Amino acid sequence: MAVKYDDLSVEWLGYATARVDADGGPVVYTDPGRYGVLDDYWARDGDVVVVTHDHHYDPAGIRSVADADATLVIYDAVDSDRIDRDVEPVEALSADYDVIRVDDEARVDVETDDGTVTVWTVAAHNEPDGPCANDDGTVPHPEGFGCGFLFSIGGRTVLWPGDGDALEGLAELDVGVLLANVGGGGIVSNRHAAADLAERMEPGLVVPIHYDTFDDLEADGEAFAGDVASRSIPVALDERSIDG
């Protein structure tokens, strides 16, 4: 079930994978794949696919969503040699798609048959003194390991903040739709921090994703939605990936 926001449709397919399309316009996918979320999905309609970091890099998932003429925008630190899974190198994808590697201060204008998608990278990491840090300051997502993405589609902006804490700077962005990263478990912001970020940001709509993929990401989506709604911010749940 897709969530509608003016002329945008947002569908959470599971884990960090969301499909965003503008009516009659381009289609964007965030971090497609892993944990079986795309096992029965073979749309291959994505004009733009964004990948934030190693944990969300899944070439099979990318190939299941990307159109033959797709542009893949992949954070430059994503490295198959560092990943403890058997994955195809990023360079191999260049044989079939236009692959653009980006740092965390990039802007990319992607021309598609249905219009332009502008993609900006934003910071995404866990603070060494933040809620996800160990006693020695180590974190699962150190600075430079990944990024988030803000993209413009159908005249609206959509933010997928990637994996990390609810960083203060994110609240300064002009966001139409926030794909709220909810999970906790010492990995990403919990539902309370994500709701606080939404309140500071004041987007036009919040759609929570990422949560309940595995035990460390367990979160109460309905409680999060109620918390956000109580702050007079529109919020919608798309829980097809959970309920089947």
Side-chain angles (χ1 to χ4, degrees):
M1 180 185 73
V3 172
K4 295 290 292 184
Y5 177 67
D6 292 338
D7 61 346
L8 290 186
S9 293
V10 179
E11 185 175 10
W12 180 32
L13 299 172
Y15 196 32
T17 307
R19 180 186 185 275
V20 183
D21 79 280
D23 290 345
V27 176
V28 177
Y29 284 90
T30 66
D31 284 330
R34 294 207 67 192
Y35 299 108
V37 300
L38 295 178
D39 282 356
D40 298 317
Y41 193 87
W42 192 253
R44 303 188 69 185
D45 59 350
D47 298 292
V48 178
V49 178
V50 299
V51 180
T52 58
H53 67 293
D54 286 357
H55 301 160
H56 290 164
Y57 177 62
D58 179 0
I62 291 171
R63 292 186 180 280
S64 74
V65 303
D67 180 81
D69 297 321
T71 297
L72 314 183
V73 184
I74 301 177
Y75 188 59
D76 58 9
V78 172
D79 183 356
S80 61
D81 290 337
R82 189 175 56 195
I83 296 173
D84 61 356
R85 295 173 277 121
D86 183 15
V87 294
E88 183 178 8
V90 175
E91 294 74 19
L93 295 172
S94 299
D96 299 309
Y97 308 104
D98 182 14
V99 177
I100 301 175
R101 304 302 295 267
V102 291
D103 60 20
D104 54 9
E105 295 182 345
R107 169 181 168 156
V108 177
D109 294 310
V110 180
E111 302 295 334
T112 78
D113 291 340
D114 298 314
T116 302
V117 178
T118 300
V119 181
W120 299 267
T121 54
V122 300
H125 59 267
N126 303 120
E127 298 282 10
D129 58 351
C132 296
N134 297 314
D135 291 341
D136 62 358
T138 59
V139 293
H141 304 97
E143 192 167 359
F145 183 68
C147 72
F149 289 99
L150 177 73
F151 53 92
S152 175
I153 177 173
R156 300 288 182 179
T157 54
V158 179
L159 175 65
W160 165 230
D163 278 8
D165 299 336
L167 302 176
E168 288 294 329
L170 295 175
E172 300 175 6
L173 300 173
D174 182 9
V175 175
V177 178
L178 169 61
L179 301 174
N181 190 333
V182 178
I187 297 174
V188 298
S189 54
N190 63 28
R191 68 175 180 87
H192 303 290
D196 289 343
L197 173 62
E199 182 176 26
R200 298 194 306 272
M201 184 180 291
E202 296 184 324
L205 178 67
V206 176
V207 180
I209 69 173
H210 196 258
Y211 62 99
D212 283 355
T213 307
F214 45 83
D215 288 346
D216 282 345
L217 294 181
E218 184 178 355
D220 189 332
E222 290 187 1
F224 170 79
D227 190 0
V228 172
S230 72
R231 306 175 194 223
S232 300
I233 300 170
V235 59
L237 289 176
D238 180 6
E239 295 195 314
R240 186 184 68 170
S241 60
I242 297 172
D243 297 334

